[in-house]
Amino acid sequence: MADFLDLGEPPQPAAAAQPYRVLARKYRPQTFNALIGQEAMVRTLENAIRRDRIAHAFLLTGVRGVGKTSTARLIAKALNCIGPDGQGGPTIDPCGVCEPCRAIAEGRHIDVIEMDAASHTGVDDVREIIDASRYAAVSARYKIYIVDEVHMLSKNAFNALLKTLEEPPAHVKFLFATTEVNKVPVTVLSRCQRFDLRRIPAETLATHFAHVAEAEGVAAEPEALALVARAAEGSARDGLSILDQAIAHADLAGGGVQADAVREMLGLSDRNAVRDLLGLVLAADAPGALAAIRRQYDLGVDPAGVMRALLEAVHGVTQVKVGGGDDAALPAEERAAYRDWAGKLSFPLLHRLWQLLLKGHEEVARAALPIETAEMAVLRAIHASTLPDPGDLARRLANGAMPAAAPAATPPTPAEPADRSPATFAALVDLLSDEKQAILAFKLKQGARVVSYAAGEIVFSGSRPIAADTLSDLAAALRTLTGRQWRLSLADVDGAPTLVEAELAAVQARHDEARADATVAAALDAFPGAELIDPPAAQRSFQ
């Protein structure tokens, strides 16, 4: 008999590789304890289940990615769990091992029906639910309908559902989820127990992402996770998707998840650069601020992102100033900078910066030239940061003190004429008259009420506004006549009388003083109809 060659055990087929699951699906919460940021809702559900006060319809609302659909599935598991021994009842802690729990988690339970209202909007789709709800559950305790994005149902579909929703069979529960609760009819809202799922705080998300990164065996910098959490804007799903991308980006780079890489991936403005830019704005360093914006733009940062980062910085400083405390998600050096600015900047200045930057952000978002618009917005903010505070001006005027003169914006060069700044506003108007600027001088005599005057700066009262073209003409004339730039602005306070008003008041005072003289009074009595007049020179001074 021939010998057979022993070849050993035949090779076994390699186990099929498990398909990759994105983090948002892999770490979908399977218990209420794993549902982050929604403690108040979980507590209410727990009390309702323990007291056997379970509503027949639930409405879950909130922004994307906060756990609406996950919560609906958890409620379905909680209501249908039978425990490992098959004898359990509804519980806030479903076992996860019984057949109903496993079937619901895998999306194959015959009595838990999920429907996307975005693709099933009509009456016929709702009619199928109504007809099927009459029949008892096949194997579960409750037949549960989960309708996602319920606001997409048509008006007729909502109307068809109302009667069944108000008086459903005892074995049926409805779970609705929506991101736009304002589009759900009030008649439906009144028939549901409503839960508003909150945005998840950035700190909570960062902690959660740290656990996920550890479970995935990936090193991650705390600042990188904080950036991911901020970009998620309260959405766990969005944050996990960003973290998924960051991990892939880190693998390609050969390292862990690093803050610089995340910032580059998201196209975020560097926080150090933002602090430097805000410092340049507050220091009124226009060339430096423009150069800083261009550097960010050259690195690929969106101009709108720069404006948004400046807004966040101003908001952060204001929060510190009102005693809101430090944001733990911020780097230590950023918290220190905010505290320093909060001690130096006034509330009016912070509010003014916020309004100017907010307007700039809106302009950049719709501008045909975004980077140029961002530069102009920052220049506007720089100009506003150097203006005196109207409230401070009013207080100083009330106390009899005039504001100190601000330094000239641009010192004259040797080639420019010497500084001929008049000592008073009246002298300035006379100078304009002498230089054949009679029309401009006349407008200023008649309409300008001065709040403060100093060489290089005039603050006019906004209670009697001066036309913009008059201010423009005045700035140009002063530049030529005095050899320096002048800062002209309006303040919402009452200023001094106009030159005409002041001269008329002076004439009236002289007339009153003359009438008080006994000789003049006797003359006026002796000659009825006689009037007091000023010399021609006095008349010419205010005509």
Side-chain angles (χ1 to χ4, degrees):
M1 190 174 200
D3 293 333
F4 292 95
L5 183 62
D6 185 6
L7 299 178
E9 290 291 331
Q12 300 295 322
Q18 292 293 326
Y20 175 71
R21 297 176 65 197
V22 296
L23 297 182
R25 292 187 59 194
K26 185 175 181 180
Y27 291 95
R28 181 187 291 270
Q30 299 300 319
T31 65
F32 281 106
N33 290 333
L35 190 66
I36 60 174
Q38 312 299 339
E39 291 78 9
M41 181 199 66
V42 173
R43 191 180 310 114
T44 303
L45 282 173
E46 180 179 8
N47 293 336
I49 291 175
R50 288 180 176 175
R51 297 172 184 175
D52 195 21
R53 301 179 63 89
I54 304 171
H56 61 272
F58 297 88
L59 178 68
L60 307 170
T61 179
V63 298
R64 69 195 184 281
V66 293
K68 298 183 297 296
T69 305
S70 296
T71 301
R73 292 176 181 173
L74 290 175
I75 294 175
K77 289 168 65 174
L79 297 181
N80 284 326
C81 179
I82 59 176
D85 58 358
Q87 304 300 317
T91 174
I92 195 65
D93 296 314
C95 66
V97 297
C98 66
E99 177 57 25
C101 283
R102 289 188 289 108
I104 293 172
E106 296 169 6
R108 56 179 176 82
H109 200 294
I110 193 172
D111 291 320
V112 178
I113 301 96
E114 292 193 32
M115 185 183 85
D116 176 20
S119 55
H120 300 81
T121 62
V123 175
D124 292 339
D125 300 305
V126 171
R127 187 176 293 117
E128 291 182 9
I129 295 177
I130 296 172
D131 293 340
S133 66
R134 299 171 184 166
Y135 302 100
V138 176
S139 61
R141 185 179 295 112
Y142 294 104
K143 179 179 284 188
I144 296 177
Y145 291 94
I146 300 175
V147 184
D148 199 13
E149 299 300 339
V150 69
H151 66 273
M152 299 292 288
L153 289 179
S154 66
K155 180 179 180 181
N156 291 335
F158 273 124
N159 290 335
L161 187 60
L162 285 180
K163 185 62 178 178
T164 303
L165 187 59
E166 185 171 15
E167 298 178 359
H171 60 271
V172 173
K173 302 292 182 184
F174 290 98
L175 304 176
F176 300 138
T178 179
T179 54
E180 301 185 49
V181 69
N182 58 301
K183 294 184 179 180
V184 179
V186 177
T187 50
V188 173
L189 293 177
S190 64
R191 290 166 168 83
C192 300
Q193 188 172 96
R194 174 174 168 175
F195 290 102
D196 290 80
L197 279 68
R198 304 176 179 179
R199 289 183 183 269
I200 306 171
E203 297 84 357
T204 304
L205 283 176
T207 302
H208 178 60
F209 297 156
H211 295 324
V212 171
E214 183 180 359
E216 292 291 307
V218 177
E221 294 180 352
E223 185 179 353
L225 297 178
L227 288 172
V228 173
R230 283 178 173 274
E233 297 183 341
S235 169
R237 184 176 62 232
D238 287 5
L240 287 172
S241 298
I242 296 172
L243 181 59
D244 222 341
Q245 183 181 359
I247 291 174
H249 187 80
D251 287 341
L252 291 175
V257 178
Q258 299 176 352
D260 291 341
V262 172
R263 192 175 289 114
E264 180 183 359
M265 180 188 77
L266 296 177
L268 298 176
S269 179
D270 181 72
R271 303 195 72 87
N272 292 331
V274 171
R275 290 199 304 276
D276 293 343
L277 176 56
L278 182 58
L280 292 169
V281 171
L282 295 174
D285 185 351
L290 294 182
I293 293 178
R294 281 289 174 174
R295 283 196 298 271
Q296 291 291 291
Y297 183 70
D298 293 340
L299 291 173
V301 179
D302 182 33
V306 175
M307 300 303 297
R308 177 170 179 169
L310 284 173
L311 282 168
E312 290 177 348
V314 172
H315 178 260
V317 174
T318 308
Q319 275 194 318
V320 174
K321 190 169 183 65
V322 300
D326 291 336
D327 186 348
L330 298 178
E333 60 271 16
E334 189 162 346
R335 296 198 296 269
Y338 285 2
R339 287 193 296 269
D340 181 56
W341 280 326
K344 297 177 180 178
L345 304 179
S346 65
F347 280 117
L349 177 57
L350 288 170
H351 297 327
R352 190 157 64 230
L353 277 175
W354 173 265
Q355 293 296 332
L356 290 166
L357 293 173
L358 184 63
K359 180 176 176 59
H361 181 271
E362 295 172 353
E363 293 173 349
V364 171
R366 62 174 185 268
L369 302 171
I371 182 60
E372 288 80 1
T373 306
E375 290 174 340
M376 295 302 294
V378 168
L379 288 176
R380 188 166 58 214
I382 289 175
H383 176 68
S385 68
T386 61
L387 292 178
D389 178 58
D392 181 58
L393 281 176
R395 286 189 296 271
R396 297 177 68 177
L397 287 171
N399 295 331
M402 296 299 288
T410 305
T413 62
E416 294 176 332
D419 188 355
R420 298 172 54 208
S421 301
T424 64
F425 181 69
L428 183 149
V429 174
D430 290 341
L431 177 61
L432 291 173
S433 300
D434 294 342
E435 296 290 340
K436 300 181 181 180
Q437 294 278 358
I439 295 178
L440 180 58
F442 177 79
K443 291 180 180 179
L444 295 176
K445 285 182 181 180
Q446 294 286 341
R449 290 181 176 172
V450 177
V451 174
S452 66
Y453 175 87
E457 180 177 3
I458 310 176
V459 179
F460 295 103
S461 172
S463 62
R464 186 166 182 174
I466 301 177
D469 58 346
T470 300
L471 289 178
S472 177
D473 293 343
L474 177 59
L478 291 176
R479 176 72 176 84
T480 301
L481 295 175
T482 66
R484 70 186 304 172
Q485 293 281 6
W486 285 66
R487 184 179 293 116
L488 309 178
S489 61
L490 299 176
D492 193 17
V493 294
D494 294 331
T498 66
L499 293 178
V500 169
E501 292 171 341
E503 184 59 36
L504 289 175
V507 171
Q508 185 63 43
R510 290 196 296 271
H511 287 185
D512 292 342
E513 182 180 2
R515 288 190 180 95
D517 184 88
T519 303
V520 175
L524 291 175
D525 290 339
F527 300 97
E531 297 180 356
L532 294 174
I533 61 173
D534 271 17
Q539 294 180 9
R540 287 197 301 272
S541 68
F542 64 88
Q543 287 179 343

